[in-house]
Structures are given as C-alpha cells and as structure tokens.
Amino acid sequence: DYRNGGYHEVFIGDVLNQQYKVCHKLGWGHFSTVWLCEILDSRRSPFPNKFVAIKIVRSQPNYTKAAKEEISMLKTITECDKENSNHVSHLLDFFSVTGRNGTHHCLVFETLGLNILNLLRLYDPTSLPQETFSVMYRTFPRIYGVPQPIVKLICIQTLRALHYLHSPPISLIHTDLKPENILLEWPVVFCIDDRQGIKNADAFFGDCNPDHDIHRHSKFKKYRIKLSDFGNSIHSPESGMAVLEKGPHAHSLLFQKPPYPPHRIQTRQYRAPESILGCTPSPGTDLWSFGCMAFELVTGRVLFNPRGKGEGDLEWNDGYDDQDDNSAYDRDDDHLTLVKAILHTDPPEKLLNAGFWSEDLFDIFTRQQRRGIKRKERELADLIMGWTKVEKELIIQQKQIDINQPNARELIYPTPVLQFEAFLLKCLTWSPVDRYSAFELLNDDWLKLTTDDYEFDGLNLIQSTTNPPSPPKRPKHRYQSGF
Ligand code: ADP
Ligand code: MG
C-alpha cells in the first residue's frame, strides 16, 4: 500500500516539517501510519512535549478529505477539553508533506501507549507463563480476557469519553469504536510485531525492559486511556441532544428511512444492527460497539464474527480483503442471525422500516431473513462463560440444579457474570432508542469496583494454590468468536 494514493514513505531519521525527527513506527490503521517523532528544537516549540505521535494519512482524495474533517473535529474536541479530563486524544499541530505517493495530511498528537488490542494480546493465555495463567484464570477458567478490574477502568473512561463526544457542544458520533482505537496513556511505548506479540516487543523511551514495565504498569490503578481516531466521526443529526435524551423527536428522526444510501460505518465485528440495515446513525450506534468491545475485553473472544460473502474479515486490521466469495449468503445475513440468536427476538418493525437496505435482507411480507445459515440460540451468560450447551447441561447436572426454579440462573452462573450480562444487554438492543446512553451506563452496578477488585494487583499478587490447568489451544484466528 506504499504506492500512489497510499501511505507516505517514511524512513527513521526523516525530518518532517523541519521540526519533527522520525524515531519509530507506533502503529497503523486503514487510513494512516503513525510515527513517534522527536521535536528538534523544543525551545521554539509551543508545547512542552519532547516527543509527539504523528499520524500520516494516505494521499487519496477521500482520505485527504476525511483528514481535513478529522482536523476540524479534533480542534473542537481539544479546545473544549481544557482540563484534559475527558479521556480523548488531543491534537497539537498539523501540516502536510508531499512525497512520491502524493500529498499527505499529518496530524500531530501527544504520544500515547499501547492500544487496547495490544493489551488483549498481552493477556492471551497462550502467551502467558504457565503460573501466571493459572493464577489469573483460576476462578472463571474459561474467561481469558483482560482482568475484570482493569476492564472496568477502561470501560468507565471510555464511557466518559463517549459522553463528552456525544453531548453538545461536540455532538459527534465516533462510528469506529474498537480496541485498536483506544490507547493507554502509559509513558512507555512498545512497538509490537503483529505476529510475534509481546515476546519480540521493542521497548523504547530509555532502556526499559518490556516485561518489567508491563508488570509495573499492571497495577490497575495506573490504567488511564484515551479515545482516539476520530477519522470516521460524524456530526450527530441536528437534534443530537434530543436523540441522546431519547425524546419523541428522537424516535421520528431515527426511524426515518434515509433518502439515499448511507455510508457504511463501523468495523464489521463492532457494527450495530441499524448500521447493517442502513438506518440513520445516532450516539447509540457507538454504544453497540462499546458492548461488543466490553465482551471482548472480558472474555478475549470476539462477540460477533459473522461468516459469509462480503467485507469484514478479522485477519486484516480493518478487514476489507479475504472475502468468503463462494458462500450463498452475505456476511450481513449471518451477522443479523447472530444478533437474533442472543437477543431471542426479531428486529422491531419500526427499525426494519427505517433501514435503507432492509428489503434486501428481509422479506417485507413475512419479515423473515432472506438468506443465512441457521445459528443456535445462545444465552449471553453462556457465551461469557465460554460454555457450550453440553457443558452447561453438565454443570446443571453436577450441581443438581432444578432449572424450573425461579432463581435457577443465580445458581448456575456466578453473580459477576450475571451482572456483566445485564450490563451488556443495556448496550445490545436491536433498536438504538432502547439502548442506554454512555452517561446512564456509568451508573451500572457491574462497573462499580468492589473491595475484591481493589485487592487485585496486576499479574503477580495472588499465589496459586491449585495445580495449574494447561492453557487452552488457540485457533489460528486472532480470536475465537463468541459463538
Ligand atoms: P487510522 O485512522 O489509520 O486507524 P489511528 O488514529 O487509529 O489511525 O492510529 C493507528 C494506530 O496507531 C493506533 O491503533 C495506535 O496503535 C497508533 N497510534 C495512534 N495515535 C497514537 C498516539 N497518539 N500515540 C501512540 N500511538 C498511536
Ligand atoms: Mg484506527
């Protein structure tokens, strides 16, 4: 992709805009590459930082246009966050460079640390030492994600960022919320090789040892994040606030079929049903992605990873290649079937009527999906536990639980799992108007840190007393799907 219209060719040591010396690659996305740069003459520089992160956007006209919009939105986001308290990344400067592949916009940000996908990889059980693995996963042996106290901190801060973004005067919808776009505020930055994970991590900022620093920073009180990548953000419809407060106006606005085909928004695995159907996006659209992400952080598995023809494979960062072209159904068909399999209801008529593409996906008379494979109904709590139907039956048998008694679920599942399920179901509703807002979710019980959480001290506090179970075998895919 380093060709005409693509990424800008950058070499370590290059000097950008006569003041930023390129030191290291920090990351990349569908739109850009991001580089750690040293400020050459920091006395002349208007900001106190010694290093900055520079996002160099691809040169194709659509990317350039998007970059201009990103700059204008970032200006407002940065200016209105004077106290730096809303967990959003700040723009410091911008300029453009011209190279062999065209002219590229460059956005200068404060330097942040790992993104949350890198963090998930650190906690991948197959990459952990046996002992650590057994300590972390003793209580809920099938939950392999990031430890829950840390997930809660990430969730709280992400919700604060979303609340800030969704409310006036900003009134934006992020439309690409996913682990790659949330960054840790660690002072240490690692460059992670996509395939090798942390083992080959190349640490810099002094001579820190990556293992050492990960452990030091795993004290969860230090976890601070910032929401970033506003390259796909859009303005809320005029009545953004009405939509946020879910007034009657919100209903009429959200349930109006757009007159022209809407843009495809969100990355496949985090895409809300209304986006699949082609309805007008709303702040609630971000909350769906948030729910999918929270599930992934806790379990280490992707909640919805639909199969079929069409865009959305996990193997590539933003997934636009490697399509399953021989299938008789589209990825959209399977995606909606998967949603139905955990919500146990059909999409409401109002929502279908408001979707530009609904008729391609659903028969308008029977209201049934036109294509798709059958998917078994699943309980969200089972997906959280990583239980198959058979495994769940076994647990019920072993514990001799009568599933007809009213509190059966409380006997089957641990309380935190039921709390987490309830939390997720506030984000995962067919209709965006039924979803909780970021602000409302901040009051949820699951998010409240308990005394147990405070005693949690990263990877190495609790000592294992039982024989360590062996780490599970992992599929070759980035993560196993929830289903
Ligand atoms: P894109 O729009 O191309 O997806 P992003 O803004 O998401 O670009 O940046 C791509 C990746 O670069 C991120 O996932 C992150 O790993 C890294 N990155 C972006 N901004 C910063 C920053 N300020 N500090 C450190 N790393 C960053
Ligand atoms: Mg990104």
Side-chain angles (χ1 to χ4, degrees), residues 157-177:
Q157 296 172 42
T158 306
L159 287 171
R160 287 201 189 132
L162 285 178
H163 173 59
Y164 172 71
L165 203 68
H166 291 165
S167 324
I170 315 282
S171 302
L172 288 176
I173 308 167
H174 188 284
T175 82
D176 200 17
L177 190 70

Side-chain angles (χ1 to χ4, degrees), residues 29 176 178 180-181 229:
D176 200 17
K178 57 176 171 177
E180 286 96 315
N181 287 337
D229 194 356

Side-chain angles (χ1 to χ4, degrees), residues 260-273:
Y260 46 82
H263 282 292
R264 280 277 178 212
I265 55 165
Q266 305 181 299
T267 297
R268 166 62 71 190
Q269 288 71 20
Y270 310 91
R271 189 174 292 157

Side-chain angles (χ1 to χ4, degrees), residues 80-286:
C80 296
D81 186 31
K82 291 231 159 49
E83 307 267 296
N84 196 5
S85 58
N86 291 298
H87 300 282
V88 284
S89 82
H90 282 193
L91 182 74
L92 302 174
D93 188 13
F94 59 92
F95 58 91
S96 58
V97 290
T98 305
R100 280 204 311 174
N101 304 329
T103 298
H104 308 259
H105 283 283
C106 300
L107 284 66
V108 183
F109 294 96
E110 59 189 318
T111 324
L112 298 166
L114 294 177
N115 70 41
I116 300 299
L117 176 60
N118 303 146
L119 184 76
L120 260 163
R121 290 207 175 119
L122 291 185
Y123 285 104
D124 182 328
T126 52
S127 74
L128 290 174
Q130 183 86 11
E131 269 170 39
T132 317
F133 171 81
S134 69
V135 170
M136 284 178 55
Y137 300 107
R138 205 174 28 169
T139 352
F140 305 120
R142 280 299 183 83
I143 302 181
Y144 299 135
V146 176
Q148 282 184 44
I150 298 174
V151 179
K152 288 180 189 179
L153 290 178
I154 295 172
C155 284
I156 291 169
Q157 296 172 42
T158 306
L159 287 171
R160 287 201 189 132
L162 285 178
H163 173 59
Y164 172 71
L165 203 68
H166 291 165
S167 324
I170 315 282
S171 302
L172 288 176
I173 308 167
H174 188 284
T175 82
D176 200 17
L177 190 70
K178 57 176 171 177
E180 286 96 315
N181 287 337
I182 295 180
L183 308 183
L184 288 173
E185 257 189 37
W186 287 353
V188 186
V189 184
F190 299 104
C191 174
I192 305 258
D193 180 312
D194 269 352
R195 278 160 297 277
Q196 301 293 323
I198 192 65
K199 280 172 219 139
N200 283 3
D202 174 8
F204 46 91
F205 266 37
D207 52 353
C208 49
N209 167 335
D211 291 328
H212 174 81
D213 276 282
I214 288 156
H215 283 260
R216 204 178 65 204
H217 290 283
S218 64
K219 282 207 173 215
F220 78 96
K221 287 180 203 83
K222 296 231 175 76
Y223 277 76
R224 276 180 57 89
I225 58 97
K226 284 205 161 191
L227 177 58
S228 80
D229 194 356
F230 300 97
N232 301 291
S233 299
I234 53 174
H235 292 280
S236 286
E238 258 174 284
S239 58
M241 206 54 208
V243 175
L244 210 57
E245 286 167 0
K246 304 189 184 111
H249 191 67
H251 288 254
S252 61
L253 198 95
L254 290 182
F255 292 130
Q256 224 166 56
K257 191 191 276 198
Y260 46 82
H263 282 292
R264 280 277 178 212
I265 55 165
Q266 305 181 299
T267 297
R268 166 62 71 190
Q269 288 71 20
Y270 310 91
R271 189 174 292 157
E274 68 269 24
S275 312
I276 303 171
L277 294 170
C279 309
T280 311
S282 69
T285 309
D286 281 339

